Amino acid sequence: MAGNNSYTIVEYFGGDDGYRCGYCKNDKGNFSHGMWSHSMTVQDYQDLIDRGWRRSGKYVYKPIMKKTCCPQYTIRCHALNFQPSKSHKKILKKMNKYISKGDLPAAQEDGEPMDSVCEDAGPREPTKVCQSDLKVAARADIKNEIPNCSAAEEVQKNSVDSTAGSSENSQNDSASVSEGGTDAKAPNPGLGADPSRPPSRKAKDLRKERRLQKDQKRQHGAGVSPPKPAHTNQPKTLEEFINESLENSSSDRLEVRLVPVNFEDPQFSASYQQSAALYARYQMAIHGDDPSECRESEFRRFLCDSPLEAEHSPDGPEMGYGSFHQQYWLDGRIVAVGVIDILPTCVSSVYLYYHPDFTSLSLGSYSALREIAFTRKLQKQSTKLCYYYLGFYVHSCPKMRYKGQYRPADLLCPESYTWVSVEQCIPLLNNSRYARLNQDPDAGDSQAVKDVGRALVLHKRTVMPYIVYSCKFKGRSDTAEVQEYASLVGQDCAERILLYRS
């Protein structure tokens, strides 16, 4: 999707130290792998969040699930099949009533659960890198560059050792199939039905429908009016609930604007100061931040500095891919901002901040419903774009379980990196904070590292496979670090993303 000159460039930090947890407030219980992204294509970020990564500004992190105090599971909603629950309808009607009549509900006793800023996820700044070093000037030729050196042999040996376990499992799988008296391979876990296509129907039903259509044509030709379709009590769609509030409003009180995160965009730059002031007010009132923690520089770093490269594709949405602010303007002022990333197969929610005076309107849930409706709208322009990612689901924190109410929804298995319906996951998470969600013991990581030597690195403006780099610089003992990094991003991403080496 990205142009030939677009690369994702990262610095990997590892994940040895513990940091403060924003959920249980444990001072040293939060463990995550981290990397700083100098630039990132939307496809690479899509692939990374499908392996449990998530960004906070330009810092991209992945919880160490078996070690961290509050395991965080990536969650996605099937936007096309979403039906609002009773509580969701209540929130939409509450907003409808406020917009049409001006009735602001009484404040709730418990504030709406919301994600906190990932303030202590780990190292936040890159090493001091000269920007010219990040420009790709050349690409090494692997055929001419690799001599018969011990460094290359060592890299290949480490790759073989790291995949020995998975290879052994594969051999065991093959053996068990052969013992069963058949040469057929066990089916790989699939992705399920394509949500962008209509559900399959039985041949019997299709024949009945065709017969009915023929009868209606014959009756119409004979001057007989076709029967009127029977009235069905179809539930209101999400869009109908949202549009009610706009149709019943005496004026255009509420306006939602999608603004690209780009200081060269006139709408973004014109509303920047108002948006930054709203963020500071929200952080202090809702999360109890000190004024020094929500300065304009923090707002810019966390919610305006995005590594994602804006991209356009012929079969993509009209506004393109990248990072955006979805601004909610009420009576001429910004009352809420949803920060989102538009990616090849999803809309990913990054953060929401709003005016504390409107807490009783449940703007967190309202904005999520609007973003699901927005995803459905984008899917009409780009058929692959059909999921809404809500960030992380934290079952061990009761206040964060609300994300599981946007159904149908899946959680990402932290071992096989396959999606499992939230209904199947909840019993497992009730028994243990950490769980392998995919209960098929044979399901493995399809992107497990097979050859770390093929991982790309960027050194002195030259792109080269790691096996070439290790041959050129024999004294450097970073194979274990590169192996760890590659296993976390997966083989395909390791062969596309440039790992910066000073």
Side-chain angles (χ1 to χ4, degrees):
M1 178 179 297
N4 293 332
N5 295 324
S6 296
Y7 287 101
T8 293
I9 302 174
V10 301
E11 288 181 72
Y12 179 62
F13 291 139
D16 296 330
D17 298 327
Y19 300 90
R20 183 175 182 273
C21 176
Y23 301 105
C24 69
K25 311 306 178 187
N26 185 321
D27 283 340
K28 293 289 184 181
N30 179 13
F31 290 87
S32 63
H33 301 282
M35 54 189 183
W36 188 269
S37 177
H38 293 278
S39 63
M40 184 168 287
T41 68
V42 292
Q43 185 60 61
D44 285 340
Y45 186 52
Q46 177 73 68
D47 291 343
L48 287 175
I49 62 174
D50 286 340
R51 290 185 66 82
W53 292 85
R54 180 166 165 78
R55 77 174 185 88
S56 173
K58 290 189 174 184
Y59 181 71
V60 188
Y61 63 101
K62 184 182 191 298
I64 304 176
M65 299 290 278
K66 289 185 178 180
K67 191 175 181 182
T68 194
C69 54
C70 296
Q72 301 152 62
Y73 299 84
T74 302
I75 182 170
R76 71 178 186 183
C77 166
H78 295 250
L80 302 188
N81 299 324
F82 173 79
Q83 281 293 336
S85 65
K86 285 185 178 179
S87 62
H88 294 147
K89 292 173 185 175
K90 216 171 164 184
I91 289 166
L92 292 166
K93 289 175 180 177
K94 185 165 56 175
M95 177 63 81
N96 176 5
K97 187 176 180 181
Y98 174 69
I99 293 176
S100 59
K101 299 180 180 178
D103 295 339
L104 190 65
Q108 300 169 335
E109 289 184 9
D110 295 322
E112 185 179 29
M114 292 297 298
D115 282 319
S116 61
V117 180
C118 179
E119 45 201 322
D120 298 302
R124 310 294 298 182
E125 300 296 335
T127 54
K128 292 182 179 179
V129 179
C130 179
Q131 288 302 306
S132 62
D133 288 345
L134 299 174
K135 296 185 184 299
V136 177
R139 187 167 182 133
D141 186 340
I142 187 169
K143 293 180 180 178
N144 297 330
E145 291 277 1
I146 301 180
N148 294 321
C149 65
S150 58
E153 293 171 1
E154 183 67 22
V155 170
Q156 290 171 333
K157 178 180 179 297
N158 288 337
S159 295
V160 171
D161 291 344
S162 68
T163 56
S166 58
S167 300
E168 185 179 339
N169 290 338
S170 300
Q171 291 169 1
N172 292 339
D173 293 345
S174 302
S176 63
V177 172
S178 300
E179 288 166 9
T182 175
D183 294 328
K185 291 184 179 179
N188 292 325
L191 299 175
D194 186 345
S196 65
R197 296 186 177 183
S200 59
R201 300 167 62 188
K202 293 182 179 179
K204 181 181 176 182
D205 294 334
L206 292 171
R207 287 196 298 271
K208 286 173 71 175
E209 184 178 310
R210 283 196 291 268
R211 275 200 304 271
L212 180 61
Q213 289 173 349
K214 286 180 181 178
D215 290 343
Q216 288 176 350
K217 284 181 180 179
R218 279 198 297 269
Q219 290 173 356
H220 187 65
V224 180
S225 299
K228 293 183 179 179
H231 179 70
T232 56
N233 293 321
Q234 291 289 336
K236 283 184 182 177
T237 65
L238 173 61
E239 288 78 6
E240 287 173 331
F241 274 107
I242 291 172
N243 291 334
E244 268 186 5
S245 63
L246 304 178
E247 292 168 359
N248 296 340
S249 176
S250 57
S251 61
D252 296 332
R253 295 191 62 196
L254 180 66
E255 181 188 1
V256 181
R257 302 178 188 173
L258 185 71
V259 182
V261 179
N262 183 348
F263 284 93
E264 295 180 3
D265 181 85
Q267 279 192 309
F268 182 79
S269 57
S271 59
Y272 176 77
Q273 291 300 330
Q274 185 181 168
S275 192
L278 178 65
Y279 166 78
R281 189 165 187 172
Y282 168 80
Q283 290 297 133
M284 289 187 286
I286 304 300
H287 292 294
D289 283 4
D290 186 83
S292 63
E293 298 176 286
C294 42
R295 294 187 295 262
E296 183 269 338
S297 58
E298 289 298 303
F299 168 71
R300 181 168 183 151
R301 176 190 59 79
F302 173 49
L303 296 175
C304 301
D305 286 347
S306 170
L308 298 185
E309 302 283 346
E311 296 179 24
H312 285 79
S313 173
D315 58 351
E318 61 183 358
M319 73 288 298
Y321 301 103
S323 298
F324 296 83
H325 283 190
Q326 199 160 41
Q327 301 174 340
Y328 295 81
W329 290 74
L330 183 64
D331 298 330
R333 62 170 175 158
I334 303 176
V335 296
V337 177
V339 183
I340 60 174
D341 292 330
I342 300 178
L343 303 174
T345 65
C346 75
V347 170
S348 175
S349 174
V350 178
Y351 201 62
L352 175 91
Y353 54 99
Y354 57 82
H355 198 294
D357 288 354
F358 298 97
T359 300
S360 61
L361 286 175
S362 305
L363 289 175
S365 297
Y366 179 76
S367 67
L369 294 169
R370 292 291 301 241
E371 287 168 7
I372 291 173
F374 179 59
T375 304
R376 286 149 70 126
K377 180 181 177 183
L378 294 185
Q379 193 274 337
K380 294 176 181 178
Q381 304 170 19
S382 180
T383 54
K384 292 189 301 181
L385 208 164
C386 55
Y387 295 107
Y388 174 61
Y389 284 47
L390 296 96
F392 287 135
Y393 174 82
V394 188
H395 193 75
S396 59
C397 180
K399 283 190 174 182
M400 299 308 297
R401 294 182 184 178
Y402 73 97
K403 293 184 179 183
Q405 297 169 5
Y406 296 88
R407 299 186 183 183
D410 304 318
L411 299 185
L412 184 68
C413 176
E415 295 183 17
S416 66
Y417 298 109
T418 54
W419 296 98
V420 183
S421 70
V422 72
E423 290 89 348
Q424 296 177 47
C425 299
I426 287 175
L428 300 171
L429 297 176
N430 283 338
N431 292 330
S432 173
R433 289 189 173 207
Y434 173 81
R436 175 191 166 94
L437 302 179
N438 188 330
Q439 292 299 283
D440 178 1
D442 296 328
D445 176 9
S446 64
Q447 286 297 311
V449 176
K450 298 176 180 63
D451 185 358
V452 70
R454 296 179 64 87
L456 290 184
V457 300
L458 176 64
H459 176 70
K460 292 186 176 179
R461 302 180 64 188
T462 300
V463 178
M464 64 188 80
Y466 179 68
I467 194 169
V468 172
Y469 173 83
S470 61
C471 286
K472 284 189 170 187
F473 307 98
K474 298 179 184 179
R476 302 198 177 188
S477 55
D478 57 358
T479 302
E481 179 185 311
V482 176
Q483 178 73 49
E484 179 183 68
Y485 152 81
S487 68
L488 293 168
V489 301
Q491 183 74 46
D492 285 354
C493 278
E495 292 182 27
R496 291 198 314 265
I497 295 174
L498 307 186
L499 177 63
Y500 177 76
R501 303 276 88 181
S502 58

